[in-house]
Amino acid sequence: MTPPAGPNRRLWLLLALLLLGYFAAFAVYPGMFFALGVNHYDAWFLDTFALLASNDAITRGLDPYAANPLDYFHRPHVYSHWWLHLRDLGLTRADSLWLGAALVGSFLAAALARLRPRSGGQLAWYAAVACSSPIVLAADRANNDLVVFVLLAGVVPCLLSSRRTVRLVAPLLIALAAGLKYYPAAAMVLLLAIPDRAERRAQLVIAGLLLALVALSIAPDLIGYGPLAPRPEGLLSFGATALPNTLGWEGWGPKALGLLAGGIAAVVAWRRRPLGDWEPAASSDGLHFLLGAVLLTGCFFTSLNFGYRWVFALWLAPLLWTLPADPAAPAAARRLARGVRWLLLVVLWWDPLCCLILNHLLGRVPGPTVMHLARVAFLVEQPLDWALFLGLLVFLVQFFRLRRPALVGR
């Protein structure tokens, strides 16, 4: 990782020092976790530990898909079987501390390589996103979404490379990430931004074949994943079904309703064309924005998600800062970007603010009252989540609408 060249080196170094100092402070003052609503459990990198515990279970002849006595919380393995080859690298639970720290360090390096502030306000905006509770949660657990982030961080630079051999690495990174966590397959849509028709078609074919091979490999994992998967709920989680689930409506009904609502919103945006012919993928910031948007929006409308999936919001941040002030962009695009920027800031910090208040009430009011207030706070957040993701959906529909001729060959 090297700082960007040019007059912004000092701001970049200041941001790097700020983020490194901020995350290092949690090691010195673990009580900061509680203040931000993150349950540290007095143990570092619990999700990395769980992956290594699943590998140790196989080594000891245990079933990794059953309750695992080697894990702190006896969690079964709920990911692709690809993760179960970590033992082939000689990794065990004894390696969880250094491996988790290396993963968090790699994530911060990849994030800092993308975040290049040009003003004090932009630096503060980047810090506000990167220091939010969901990002802290992902780092505290060393969740494997950080691995996906690091892998996909190379997609846009590869696509923008002047060398065709380097551009061909992009579908390989997408396929590898999809084999680890399924949802990164959505990043394939970024290949539509390739300007050359022949290369675009070749890349799409390559990506399709690679993802088909990945699907064949992990199909048994997908079938067995549902009953084992942990269920996100409450603060520091998000998804289209969060509201009906919290109100007691479970099953496929809320999922179908969420997908239907997203589909209707997409059709309306497609037909009304609120952004005209503005091109959202005309820059590196735009491509990164679309990458983060398609991952987060796809997850929102298809599943409930733990808060650490917000790490991809770091790719939204640059365009959300520059677009509202871009005189070349239409007024509608600037207004939408400004609204999405404020919504993202509120959504990322709503949970820690609520947790700070609720934690202050612990011991002062009855426990059931605190739980009721937490539920109310979560319900209040849901319209904000919907507004944010509908805004992101408008940007994605604009990209698809403009790139549709590239897809069908006209």
Side-chain angles (χ1 to χ4, degrees):
M1 177 184 62
T2 57
N8 305 315
R9 177 185 292 265
R10 290 184 179 178
L11 286 176
W12 184 90
L13 290 174
L14 180 59
L15 176 64
L17 290 174
L18 189 155
L19 294 186
L20 292 174
Y22 177 75
F23 283 92
F26 286 92
V28 181
Y29 305 105
M32 292 172 57
F33 286 114
F34 185 75
L36 289 179
V38 176
N39 198 335
H40 179 55
Y41 293 107
D42 293 324
W44 289 98
F45 312 136
L46 284 171
D47 290 347
T48 293
F49 186 91
L51 289 170
L52 296 175
S54 296
N55 282 266
D56 287 351
I58 296 177
T59 303
R60 296 193 180 190
L62 301 175
D63 180 6
Y65 297 100
N68 187 355
L70 305 180
D71 177 58
Y72 284 111
F73 303 112
H74 293 188
R75 291 170 288 181
H77 184 70
V78 295
Y79 304 111
S80 157
H81 70 275
W82 289 18
W83 293 100
L84 298 178
H85 292 286
L86 289 172
R87 68 188 191 281
D88 298 331
L89 302 176
L91 297 172
T92 69
R93 287 168 296 161
D95 299 298
S96 63
L97 192 59
W98 74 263
L99 185 61
L103 177 55
V104 173
S106 300
F107 160 70
L108 289 176
L112 286 168
R114 175 86 285 271
L115 303 178
R116 302 184 174 191
R118 294 178 174 84
S119 67
Q122 192 173 17
L123 186 151
W125 160 243
Y126 287 166
V129 175
C131 296
S132 61
S133 289
I135 312 297
V136 171
L137 175 66
D140 175 48
R141 305 289 174 84
N143 183 264
N144 50 8
D145 274 342
L146 300 186
V147 178
V148 174
F149 184 95
V150 172
L151 283 173
L152 295 183
V155 169
V156 173
C158 285
L159 291 178
L160 295 177
S161 173
S162 60
R163 300 174 59 185
R164 183 165 185 167
T165 53
V166 175
R167 295 195 295 272
L168 286 171
V169 176
L172 296 174
L173 293 175
I174 294 170
L176 179 57
L180 296 176
K181 285 295 291 275
Y182 321 128
Y183 68 85
M188 178 182 174
V189 302
L190 238 66
L191 302 180
L192 292 174
I194 297 173
D196 181 76
R197 177 186 297 181
E199 182 179 348
R200 180 175 59 246
R201 289 179 174 177
Q203 290 263 32
L204 288 170
V205 170
I206 291 170
L209 291 174
L210 289 173
L211 290 174
L213 293 174
V214 168
L216 290 174
S217 173
I218 65 176
D221 304 321
L222 289 170
I223 294 172
Y225 174 72
L228 299 175
R231 178 183 173 83
E233 59 182 354
L235 297 172
L236 287 178
S237 67
F238 69 95
T241 62
L243 178 59
N245 288 172
T246 304
L247 296 176
W249 187 17
E250 305 282 348
W252 284 99
K255 296 181 180 180
L257 183 61
L259 289 171
L260 178 62
I264 293 173
V267 170
V268 171
W270 185 289
R271 294 178 64 87
R272 300 196 64 177
R273 302 173 57 179
L275 304 183
D277 291 325
W278 174 75
E279 173 59 87
S283 65
S284 174
D285 284 352
L287 287 174
H288 277 98
F289 174 87
L290 290 169
L291 177 59
V294 75
L295 295 173
L296 286 169
T297 305
C299 289
F300 176 81
F301 283 107
T302 59
S303 63
L304 285 171
N305 308 270
F306 287 105
Y308 35 66
R309 196 137 303 162
W310 282 112
V311 294
F312 302 111
L314 291 169
W315 289 332
L316 306 179
L319 188 73
L320 290 179
W321 181 264
T322 59
L323 181 56
D326 183 1
R334 297 198 301 269
R335 287 194 300 269
L336 181 60
R338 190 177 296 111
V340 170
R341 183 173 69 190
W342 281 109
L343 283 168
L344 179 62
L345 185 65
V346 171
V347 166
L348 289 177
W349 284 96
W350 175 263
D351 289 352
L353 176 62
C354 291
C355 288
L356 182 65
I357 296 172
L358 293 172
N359 290 340
H360 183 72
L361 295 177
L362 289 174
R364 304 182 182 208
V365 299
T369 302
V370 175
M371 295 300 296
H372 174 71
L373 292 174
R375 185 171 181 268
V376 171
F378 184 65
L379 291 173
V380 170
E381 182 186 356
Q382 300 316 301
L384 301 175
D385 286 354
W386 272 92
L388 170 62
F389 283 104
L390 289 175
L392 292 177
L393 188 63
V394 172
F395 283 112
L396 291 174
V397 169
Q398 178 75 355
F399 173 69
F400 281 116
R401 188 178 65 79
L402 294 179
R403 294 294 170 168
R404 180 175 175 271
L407 182 62
V408 299
R410 292 199 299 265

